[in-house]
Amino acid sequence: MTETTHNNATATIVSDERSDLLEALAKQRHFLRFTTRDLTDEQAGQRTTVSELCLGGLIKHVTSVERHWVEFIQHGPSAMPDFTALTEADWAARADEFRMLPGETLAGVLAAYEEVARETDELVTTLPDLNVTHPLPKAPWNEPGARMSARRVLMHIVAETAQHSGHADIIREALDGAKSMG
């Protein structure tokens, strides 16, 4: 990242790499949010496949994942749970992020997602070094001692969002025939 001064004001110029990350995040977030266009809260919470997934729940999940990974970039593995120590009750509680719960609204879910997106985008532009690494949290899917850089975490967020955007497109098409593309 470089800085330049114009008329006694300092403006941050985002490097090409950071611009690419922000553009990729914005594109995938758009497609995920787009799947919820013109839906009611009830429709956003409706399951349309054999999966437990619904559109509102997918957005809640992606919001949670992005929030936790950004906290990981900032604070290391202490920002995430020790997944090897989670109980059945913990896993059941985590399952609630995949569904719309009573009292939750699509507008509220989207607003929370937008706030996390703003925080992530700010981090991308202000983080001094994308090479900073932390040990990964304890989890059955992480190799002991493995580390991940901020850059790789951000790429993971893009991939996670893209994957769930595809899930959302299938759910939406099963709901009312609407497609994100085509």
Side-chain angles (χ1 to χ4, degrees), residues 33 38 53 83 123 156 158 175:
R33 285 190 308 263
D38 305 322
L53 301 176
F83 291 96
L123 180 67
H156 174 73
V158 171
L175 180 67

Side-chain angles (χ1 to χ4, degrees), residues 12 46 70 78 86 113 120 129-130 157 163 179:
T12 301
Q46 185 176 342
V70 166
S78 65
L86 294 182
Y113 187 40
T120 302
D129 186 0
L130 293 176
I157 293 169
Q163 177 182 16
K179 300 177 187 177

